Amino acid sequence: MEKIESPLELEKLRKSIQSKKKKEKTFISICAGTGCRASGSESVINAFKEEIKFLGLQNKVGVKVTGCHGFCEKGPIIVIHPKEIFYHNVEKEDVMEIVSETIIGGKIIDRLLYVDPTTGKKITKESDVPFYNKQKRIILGNNGKIDPTDIEDYIALGGYSALSKVLFKIKPEQIIEEVKKSGLRGRGGGGFPTGRKWESCRNAKGKLKYVICNADEGDPGAYMDRSLLEGNPHSVLEGMIIGAYAIGSKNGYVYVRNEYPLAVKHLEIAVNQAEEYGFLGKNILGSGFNFSILISRGGGAFVCGESTALMASLEGKPGEPRAKYVHTVEKGLWNKPTTLNNVETWANIPIIIHKGASWYSKIGTEKSKGTKIFSLVGKINNTGLVETPMGMKLREIIYDIGGGIPNKKKFKAVQTGGPSGGCIPEELIDLPIDFEKLTEAGSMMGSGGMIVMDEETCMVDVAKYFLKFLMEESCGKCVPCREGILQMGEILENITKGNGQPGDIELLEEISTVIKDTSLCALGGTAPNPVLSTIRYFRNEYDSHIKDKKCPAGVCQALIQYSIIPKKCIGCGACLKQCPQNAITGEKKQPHIINPEKCIKCGACYDVCKFDAIKRV
Amino acid sequence: MQGETISRDFPAIDAIIKKYGERKEFLICILQDIQARYGYLPREDLERVAEKLGIPLIQIYSVATFFKAFSLRPKGGHTIQVCLGTACHVRGAERVLSKIKRDLDIDVDETTKDMNFTLKTVNCLGACALGPIVEIDGKYHGNMNTTKVESVLKKYSTKMKE
């Protein structure tokens, strides 16, 4: 491939790719994101390739291995284009039938269709599935249409046209104006206006400037950045190149989590291809603008999601943050002006340029514009990635898109914002989700994790979970974070062990205030949030643990007992065999009993019982 | 050191360092490559890196001990990673972890005496739909519970004997 040297050449190439693609009328798009891979999509892909080759259909039917489609719960997922037939939970054994029946015969295979749980109706088209049709997928949408390892797929869908537009038609200052006008705010957590960040960096003194993509997605339960990098890496790169041009930077970095091997691989391929085609490197598209990107893999430290810690790590040092009296837009990486944005933020840029700020700013609420990708996980029927306009009500996300809570359990709360966020209780289910509303509710947007919790989730345990997480991830540089979180963790440990004291809640609140006020970086500054928000909305549960020594949700080991409900037990002996302590006794076909003195509360009997005969109170 | 079986392969280490232009800002990447090659960071290799990059050994140790991805001890034949992300946590990952700890008689970050398993935890693998997840040697085992642990571990115990 020769480098593209002008916008005209790019358009020529685009047309030729598009006309080449038109010949391939039918193609099967198979999700190979991490979720679907874990469910076995690779064997499905191979089976399709073999079957199509066996039947000699290579020229008529394409197999497109794509990134994450978002509906991870139902993986492996396939979509047959152009009819958009949506099959889920596909196994390699289904492949022969799909090819002969659907692709050749044009018939729909009923059992692979999605059944709408509320109406009981079977749905054929992907866009009719409620999980998808309530979303607005401007960022994620192309994931299902492109092979992320093939730059031409991205180009065919209009890729790099925003870059070509800015390089030849728009001045850097105007790009920044456009981004400011769009109202885009950082998607990594803080929600700082992106255009203003760029402007400060452009105006900062110094010739050498850096652009960084923060792909150190550390919030547990959030994986939208990974899916974007895996499924549509060029959209992120294009955003970065536009940003670099606007700011006046020649060097960029992507700092990506090493725990995401597929994302790293796709990113590397994308950077290489972008260089080969002339979107990266010297004299991009013949404009005279130079920009290169290096990929750096993270070392597995949560704190490196914080900008100054990330930059320290990029410099080859331990990832410790510094105080931000001087902003990173003035003194960042190697003490040079640096613009750092999150993966999803970068991916928004080409769309804003392409469709215009006024189009973009019509989406969302007054102060939060555009869409946001959430990862809807936990106790929810439709686990997956969901992109909605800012301001959508929590109820719509959880029930209309998420399909509600499994096993007929009751919704209790949703945790947003990761370890820096908080829990939103059921009474706020009609809350419109945007930056402001989440902060008012004592939580935060964060990177967009939404962990749904049902009545079997203990809120004290959740608070303890996050504190333990932060205790391990605190870099230890400043005392309030290092020692304060430790102390709070100990208090919570005591409470969940039945050793809580009156006054513990007040003490937690007091320590929280100190940590918030005096920590060096946002990790410490927001660390008390999970505790404070659970105290705010679930104080009763704390009281039950402290006063009554009970865990109402049946989670905290020290406060629960396992027992067998005689009426439900058929005496199958499954639990007896599983019990590591020989604490269960009973004759065959007679109800068994658990000896509480021997029981270590491991839960093995609860997991193995098929008759719901084990009670956990 | 227990399990120390690899004779030091400095040409390989030098090649890794060279790949990154012997530049000290790539220290983390260099350590990652060494870790990927041997499963841990042997001291002799770190000394070599210090010498080649011209930085004090203590600085390398400060990085090597800061990041979770690095291990200073040799790992077992199979690495088990129990995901403790929030989604896995609310679905009972702790109970799964306890069961593995009991079955293997080791704690997190430890290796079994026969060097077959090393037990690790990870904050989130981002495959939340399948939670609780246990990853062994890169393969995901989804929807885990205490009952499934035994049969999954068995697969890897016999494989080693073969």
Side-chain angles (χ1 to χ4, degrees), chain A residues 227-238:
Chain A
S227 283
L228 278 172
L229 289 176
E230 278 177 12
N232 195 355
H234 286 287
S235 66
V236 180
L237 296 185
E238 188 176 1

Side-chain angles (χ1 to χ4, degrees), chain A residues 226 298 378 461 465 473 607, chain B residues 32-33 84 89 91 123 126 146:
Chain A
R226 190 202 68 202
D461 174 72
Y465 164 82
E473 295 298 340
D607 283 341
Chain B
Q32 273 164 341
D33 284 8
L84 292 184
H89 176 80
R91 291 183 180 191
N123 285 338
T146 52

Side-chain angles (χ1 to χ4, degrees), chain A residues 42 80 86 89 166 168 181 264 278 297 410 420 450 511:
Chain A
E42 268 173 317
I80 300 164
F86 176 79
N89 293 101
V166 300
F168 294 92
K181 242 170 60 190
V264 174
R297 291 166 292 151
K410 217 172 142 254
S420 315
M450 268 193 185
I511 304 175

